[in-house]
């Protein structure tokens, strides 16, 4: 299990009285979720006095941390060494340098934590596949330069199994072909989340222009797509070998609330970093819900805008829990319930990842005393 060495609080003025856990989603059915039970542990961030910006009690963390770390290291190592991509530039830096930067000391406190907390239901093999795709999605988010088009196309063709007639010529290509075969094999064994995960990964590579956003609702609609919320939904589905249809109308409200929650949390934790980057560049557009809320409400204070953003996040947590209970009352198969629980675990896990990674708070968020995961066990 990872050592928790960073704790970033994007909202230091959060009143202590609001730091309460109001909902608990685990064990709501007659049969415990076997995937979460076998593959994760439950953590309470409050036991280590870590920032806890969620009203949903407990975070699930994967038991397969070593496999997660090894898989991500392998992918980045292959990216750093692959001659076909090492010289491609993204915003002035090559992919090879980006990958090597990702492997620098402290790497275990960076993006690798996302899979650990957001997809804890996956077994050792499923988690391994998801790590690749989570890392791929991260690269898609961070690198949208047009010079990557050909690389992205080959990357995706191999992950989607459409390059079988095109023999791999590099270790990276062989590796991606192996990942594709593994995902296909797991889908055949149960569920169909792997195929959907790859479809959503393709969408994550598409950069979209927010255009003119006139209100918060319009921003949330844009952000649900931009943040890759349906990729996360499909990856959560894959982690529990589910066959639940993602486009079924009965799940639309729940998944919309999840997407809004994901975008709000990411914007809340990245806001200060985005402001600094904008000031450094001197040009650009602020695309963040905190800014959208501030403009829509005519608030003078950024802290007040963060407060409203956090309240919206809590409201979407309530909507998810209310909708979960409504669906339970209407009748859910174990497969469908386990899928919804995996999505909820992803939402709460995203908060844990966002506050314990170096991605948003940097070295300024480093704790004076690190915490072992065991200190947070429920």
């Amino acid at each position: 299990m990872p050592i928790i060495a960073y704790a970033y609080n994007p909202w230091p003025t959060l009143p202590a009285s609001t730091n309460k856990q109001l909902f608990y989603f685990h064990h709501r059915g007659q049969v415990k979720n076997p995937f979460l039970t076998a593959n994760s542990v439950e953590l309470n961030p409050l036991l280590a006095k870590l920032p806890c910006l969620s009203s949903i009690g407990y975070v699930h963390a994967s038991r397969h941390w070593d496999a997660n770390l090894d898989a991500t290291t392998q992918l980045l190592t292959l990216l750093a060494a692959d001659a076909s991509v090492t010289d491609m530039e993204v915003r002035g830096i090559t992919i090879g340098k980006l990958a090597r930067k990702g492997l620098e000391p402290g790497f275990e406190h960076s993006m690798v934590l996302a899979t650990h907390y957001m997809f804890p239901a996956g077994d050792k093999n499923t988690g391994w596949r998801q790590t690749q795709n989570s890392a791929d999605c991260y690269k898609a988010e961070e690198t949208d330069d047009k010079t990557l088009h050909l690389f992205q196309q080959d990357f995706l063709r191999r992950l989607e199994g459409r390059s079988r007639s095109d023999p791999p010529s590099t270790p990276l290509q062989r590796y991606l072909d192996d990942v594709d075969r593994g995902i296909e094999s797991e889908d055949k064994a149960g569920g169909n989340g792997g195929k959907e995960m790859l479809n959503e990964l393709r969408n994550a590579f598409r950069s979209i222009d927010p255009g003119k956003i006139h209100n918060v609702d319009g921003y949330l609609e844009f952000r649900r797509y931009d943040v890759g919320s349906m990729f996360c939904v499909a990856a959560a589905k894959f982690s529990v070998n589910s066959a639940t249809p993602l486009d079924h109308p009965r799940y639309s409200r729940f998944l919309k609330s999840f997407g809004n929650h994901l975008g709000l949390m990411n914007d809340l934790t990245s806001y200060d970093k985005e402001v600094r980057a904008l000031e450094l560049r001197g040009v650009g557009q602020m695309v963040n819900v905190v800014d959208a809320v501030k403009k829509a409400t005519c608030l003078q204070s950024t802290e007040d805008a963060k407060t409203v953003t956090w309240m919206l996040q809590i409201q979407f947590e309530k909507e998810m829990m209310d909708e979960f209970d409504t669906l339970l009352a209407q009748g859910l198969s174990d497969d469908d319930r386990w899928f919804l629980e995996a999505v909820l675990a992803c939402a709460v896990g995203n908060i844990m990842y966002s506050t314990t990674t170096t991605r948003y708070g940097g070295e300024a968020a480093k704790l004076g005393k690190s915490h072992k995961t065991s200190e947070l066990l429920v």
Side-chain angles (χ1 to χ4, degrees):
M1 289 290 186
I3 297 294
I4 299 172
Y6 295 82
Y8 175 54
N9 186 353
W11 185 26
T13 58
L14 173 69
S17 60
T18 61
N19 217 0
K20 294 180 180 178
Q21 296 167 332
L22 306 177
F23 307 106
Y24 298 91
F25 69 81
H26 57 301
H27 313 328
R28 294 173 92 85
Q30 293 182 347
V31 180
K32 288 184 178 181
N33 188 320
F35 298 94
L36 284 172
T37 300
N39 298 300
S40 72
V41 294
E42 291 180 342
L43 309 178
N44 184 350
L46 297 181
L47 293 177
K49 298 182 179 179
L50 298 176
C52 183
L53 301 179
S54 175
S55 63
I56 301 178
Y58 304 161
V59 176
H60 285 85
S62 172
R63 296 179 186 270
H64 310 300
W65 167 248
D66 289 340
N68 178 7
L69 193 64
D70 290 346
T72 308
T73 300
Q74 187 175 7
L75 176 61
L76 289 176
T77 301
L78 289 171
L79 277 169
D82 195 287
S84 67
V85 301
T86 50
D87 293 333
M88 286 187 178
E89 283 198 6
V90 180
R91 299 173 188 169
I93 185 171
T94 65
I95 288 181
K97 287 182 179 178
L98 273 174
R100 287 191 290 275
K101 182 178 175 63
L103 290 167
E104 290 176 355
F107 147 73
E108 69 274 15
H109 303 295
S110 61
M111 68 178 185
V112 70
L113 288 172
T115 302
H116 180 65
Y117 291 121
M118 293 176 68
F119 308 109
D123 63 23
K124 192 171 183 178
N125 291 326
T126 303
W128 181 82
R129 321 286 181 205
Q130 282 178 322
T131 299
Q132 317 313 312
N133 289 285
S134 295
D136 303 345
C137 196
Y138 171 88
K139 290 298 177 187
E141 178 185 353
E142 293 294 306
T143 60
D144 58 5
D145 194 283
K146 291 181 180 179
T147 59
L148 291 181
H149 181 69
L150 293 177
F151 165 64
Q152 290 175 346
Q153 291 305 308
D154 182 65
F155 208 86
L156 290 165
R157 278 192 308 111
R158 293 190 177 281
L159 283 176
E160 292 173 344
R162 292 186 287 114
S163 57
R164 300 285 170 85
S165 60
D166 180 14
S169 59
T170 71
L172 175 62
Q173 290 178 331
R174 286 193 290 272
Y175 184 68
L176 293 174
D177 286 352
D178 287 343
V179 171
D180 166 64
R181 282 189 284 268
I183 292 173
E184 184 178 325
S185 175
E186 291 191 33
D187 267 0
K188 286 180 179 178
N192 57 1
K195 181 178 180 181
E196 290 175 324
M197 183 170 63
L198 295 179
N199 288 339
E200 294 301 333
L201 180 61
R202 174 171 290 279
N203 289 332
F205 270 101
R206 295 184 180 132
S207 179
I208 59 175
D209 186 345
K212 290 185 177 180
I213 298 174
H214 301 287
N215 52 47
V216 174
D217 189 57
Y219 177 83
L220 291 175
E221 182 180 2
F222 153 75
R223 196 69 173 105
R224 285 194 301 274
Y225 184 92
D226 186 57
V227 78
S229 67
M230 288 307 296
F231 166 81
C232 293
V233 168
K237 173 181 172 177
F238 181 58
S239 74
V240 293
N241 301 137
S242 174
T244 300
L246 301 185
D247 58 354
H248 197 292
R250 75 182 308 213
Y251 304 116
S252 60
R253 178 178 168 83
F254 178 88
L255 296 181
K256 180 179 179 180
S257 294
F258 166 78
N260 287 337
H261 183 276
L262 201 70
L264 286 170
M265 186 59 210
N266 284 17
D267 278 7
L268 189 59
T269 49
S270 67
Y271 178 79
D272 291 343
K273 180 179 179 180
E274 290 177 33
V275 169
R276 290 193 297 269
L278 197 62
E279 291 173 346
L280 186 64
R281 291 196 304 266
V283 294
Q285 178 185 3
M286 171 62 76
V287 183
N288 189 291
V289 73
V290 175
D291 186 64
V293 165
K294 191 174 180 180
K295 290 177 179 176
T297 57
C298 299
L299 291 169
Q300 298 299 312
S301 164
T302 296
E303 290 302 301
D304 287 344
K306 287 183 178 181
T307 300
V308 173
T309 301
W310 179 79
M311 291 172 68
L312 283 171
Q313 175 196 305
I314 297 300
Q315 177 61 31
F316 286 125
E317 289 182 358
K318 184 178 185 303
E319 285 188 9
M320 280 192 288
M321 298 308 302
D322 288 347
E323 190 65 15
F324 192 115
D325 287 338
T326 297
L327 291 168
L328 276 175
Q330 293 172 350
L332 283 174
S333 68
D334 286 338
D335 183 59
D336 292 340
R337 179 171 61 83
W338 296 336
F339 158 66
L340 295 177
E341 288 180 347
V343 175
L344 278 170
C346 182
V348 184
N350 179 52
I351 296 177
M352 185 69 173
Y353 158 66
S354 297
T355 54
T356 58
T357 180
T358 55
R359 182 174 184 181
Y360 300 118
E363 288 303 306
K366 190 166 186 176
L367 293 168
K369 175 183 177 296
S370 298
H371 297 280
K372 294 181 179 178
T373 299
S374 58
E375 295 176 39
L376 281 68
L377 286 174
V378 175

